[in-house]
Amino acid sequence: MRVLARLRARADAAYNNAYHHKLSGRIWNALEGTKYDAVHNNDDPKPFVFSNPFPPGDLREGDERTVLIASTEEPLLTHVARDLQDEREWNIGEMPFHVEAVSALSPDVGEPGTSGRLSTGTGVVVRIPPQRFDEYGIEVDHDEAEFWRPEHSMNPFQNQIHANLDRKHGLFEPDYLPGPTDTDGDLFDGYELIKTFAIPVTPTTGVTETWVLSKWRFDYTVRDDDHRRHLNLALDVGIGERNSLGFGFMNIVEKTGPGESELEGENAFA
């Protein structure tokens, strides 16, 4: 489930690639006083993820941008949508916007037999824990989690995103349903790495850190109802870590189902 917010720039502004903390803050403000307030400071994955304000690029007054906010929790999205409708001024850092419209979306990867492609609109955070360095042959001069890079090979990346999604399944799905690691087959048919890059991020500690991120396109073919549910969960809460800062957000960019022609993605974004 998703909330789509159409925005219009209220003034000229430079695009701020470090939008994550400010955009996340608006969502948490909307959830203040609700049952979701209690999960803000715990260490569990959060039940939402969001896109960048897209398309990226410097703003001219009157320019349009879009933000998507996804979640497994319809009540959470309702709180966010009401907040955006009640307070139309939205300053994402130094980028001043007016909320023009708010609407709902329900993307779905499709029934079994459907093939498609997912694109990560925001960078994916994957960190390899120190206890697995020897297993993956990683030699570094520190004992903190290591951000995934292509030289580490695909194995740790795949293992970490599967384990992370399995944890989210345990939090946000009924206990009786099998999780991603309980079923046969990979989450995706193909992994196309677009790029890796480093950006400064200021998490809740308030200390700016340099994080290494990666952008991907993932091919999939829905095997069964469980696999469909796992892929849709990834759409709702993101893949990888730190999704409540907007990392690991995905969109469907291609989908061909039984009896369907090829479909374009719901939105194009960078």
Side-chain angles (χ1 to χ4, degrees), residues 17-29:
N17 288 304
Y19 61 86
H20 308 85
H21 189 66
K22 295 294 185 181
L23 205 159
S24 178
R26 177 64 188 262
I27 297 172
W28 284 118
N29 287 341

Side-chain angles (χ1 to χ4, degrees), residues 35-102:
K35 68 177 183 178
Y36 302 105
D37 214 358
V39 306
H40 188 189
N41 293 321
N42 68 29
D43 293 330
D44 290 330
K46 306 301 186 281
F48 68 85
V49 65
F50 54 84
S51 75
N52 58 321
F54 64 90
D58 291 346
L59 301 169
R60 293 285 188 181
E61 183 178 355
D63 282 355
E64 295 181 353
R65 294 292 186 271
T66 301
V67 170
L68 288 163
I69 303 157
S71 178
T72 55
E73 302 280 324
E74 186 174 352
L76 183 152
L77 293 175
T78 299
H79 289 304
V80 173
R82 286 175 178 166
D83 181 78
L84 293 175
Q85 290 169 330
D86 291 343
E87 177 49 65
R88 298 282 180 151
E89 184 175 312
W90 190 358
N91 298 324
I92 305 175
E94 300 301 316
M95 297 185 288
F97 292 108
H98 180 267
V99 179
E100 296 282 298
V102 178

